[in-house]
Amino acid sequence: MEPEAGFFKQMKGNRAEQILRELRQKGEVSLTELITGLGVSAASVRRDLAKLEEQGLVRRTHGGAILVEPLLYEPFRYDSLFQNREQHRTAEKRRIGLAAAELIQENETVGFTAGTTTTHAARNLRNRHNIRVITNAINIAMELSNCAGLKTFVTGGIVQWAGSFSLVGQVAITSMSDIYMDRVFVSVCGIDPVRGLTVIEPEEGLTFRAMIHQSRQTVVVADSSKIGMVTPALICPISDVHVFITDKRATDKAVAPFRERGIEVERV
């Protein structure tokens, strides 16, 4: 498989960051791709991969490397419902997560609601520095907890249903009252230009709403299957959304109503 034309030439930063970005887009990459794209020797690439593996960011394979994506949390390893939710549209979620993470600047305070797409976004911060993270997601907090460059805060609350990893309820809401964020990234079950952002459980909707209320910017991260969907619990009206990142399956017709309402839409 040939590397994407011009991809590495467009990249800035050191080789390790270039390798990570390629892996974040594809999930895995061959040694040949990296040698050709970076224009360096096999020995240099292997040294870079060895350093990234020591940091727990990649896992070397016989012909290249794969991105470490610890989605199979041990208690849920054999839970088929959890597996199906995590593996739905993984490629799209990976691209959306990467695009979302690239909005985040050093010294910002950012929030992540619970969700599979926000998990992909948060995961892209593991090699970043000087960023404060607020989340109601147990799994996101766990994945970022050993990252020296990040300071991660977790809301209180209760986990309403297994596999959601979402802390909700009055304790979670109250914990947000003294925290302000530069931007919050929100996963949804549905996004509709008239009905707004929705999830299944009312308690989760209220918790996500509290996070949005404390943030300067709201970024919705959702694959195109969520567009036009409306589920029982309102998070917030569409007027509270500033940026919507989705995938390229979203048609011009589908995203037009959001752009008409002044929302910046990015399809990746």
Side-chain angles (χ1 to χ4, degrees):
M1 181 169 58
E2 294 296 324
E4 295 177 11
F7 173 81
F8 286 98
K9 291 182 180 178
Q10 297 169 11
M11 282 297 300
K12 299 179 181 179
N14 59 33
R15 286 202 311 266
E17 182 57 37
Q18 292 175 340
I19 291 169
L20 281 173
R21 193 176 194 282
E22 181 78 342
L23 280 166
R24 287 168 184 155
Q25 285 198 329
K26 297 179 177 179
E28 60 182 308
V29 67
S30 71
L31 190 63
T32 302
E33 283 182 278
L34 293 174
I35 293 168
T36 303
L38 294 168
V40 297
S41 68
S44 295
V45 172
R46 288 192 180 98
R47 282 195 297 270
D48 292 334
L49 291 176
K51 291 177 183 178
L52 291 170
E53 188 172 50
E54 287 176 4
Q55 297 173 47
L57 298 171
V58 309
R59 182 175 297 116
R60 286 182 292 175
T61 63
H62 179 67
I66 61 174
L67 190 67
V68 171
E69 295 183 324
L71 286 175
L72 297 179
Y73 307 116
E74 191 62 37
F76 301 90
R77 185 173 294 276
Y78 304 107
D79 185 328
S80 61
L81 180 62
F82 173 75
Q83 299 289 339
N84 292 338
R85 191 169 67 90
E86 293 297 303
Q87 294 169 9
H88 177 66
R89 294 202 173 190
T90 302
E92 288 90 342
K93 290 176 181 178
R94 183 182 290 119
R95 294 196 303 271
I96 293 167
L98 177 58
E102 289 182 341
L103 296 177
I104 300 170
Q105 305 298 313
E106 191 169 318
N107 296 316
E108 283 191 341
T109 299
V110 297
F112 294 99
T113 70
T116 54
T117 311
T118 44
T119 295
H120 278 279
R123 186 173 289 142
N124 285 304
L125 298 182
R126 288 183 295 166
N127 67 314
R128 300 280 298 275
H129 300 280
N130 300 322
I131 296 169
R132 292 169 295 278
V133 174
I134 315 295
T135 186
N136 78 313
I138 297 170
N139 66 311
I140 290 175
M142 181 175 68
E143 291 194 24
L144 301 184
S145 63
N146 66 339
C147 300
L150 308 177
K151 184 174 286 187
T152 303
F153 301 84
V154 188
T155 69
I158 61 171
V159 179
Q160 207 161 37
W161 53 277
S164 71
F165 303 116
S166 185
L167 291 164
V168 300
Q170 192 57 49
V171 173
I173 293 169
T174 302
S175 71
M176 299 301 303
S177 61
D178 295 324
I179 295 173
Y180 294 102
M181 292 168 280
D182 294 288
R183 61 189 94 236
V184 63
F185 297 87
V186 184
S187 275
V188 299
C189 295
I191 175 169
D192 181 85
V194 176
R195 299 295 183 90
L197 310 184
T198 53
V199 287
I200 302 294
E201 300 291 342
E203 291 284 353
E204 188 165 63
L206 291 170
T207 302
F208 288 11
R209 187 185 305 172
M211 296 180 73
I212 289 169
H213 185 263
Q214 298 300 105
S215 180
R216 180 175 55 83
Q217 183 186 63
T218 300
V219 182
V220 176
V221 289
D223 67 73
S224 55
S225 70
K226 308 292 179 61
I227 297 175
M229 295 288 291
V230 179
T231 52
L234 175 69
I235 299 173
C236 69
I238 204 69
S239 56
D240 287 350
V241 178
H242 302 94
V243 181
F244 175 28
I245 305 177
T246 188
D247 60 75
K248 291 181 179 178
R249 294 192 200 184
T251 64
D252 290 344
K253 182 179 180 180
V255 302
F258 301 103
R259 286 179 169 154
E260 289 169 3
R261 287 163 172 76
I263 298 169
E264 178 184 339
V265 180
E266 184 176 357
R267 290 177 285 185
V268 295

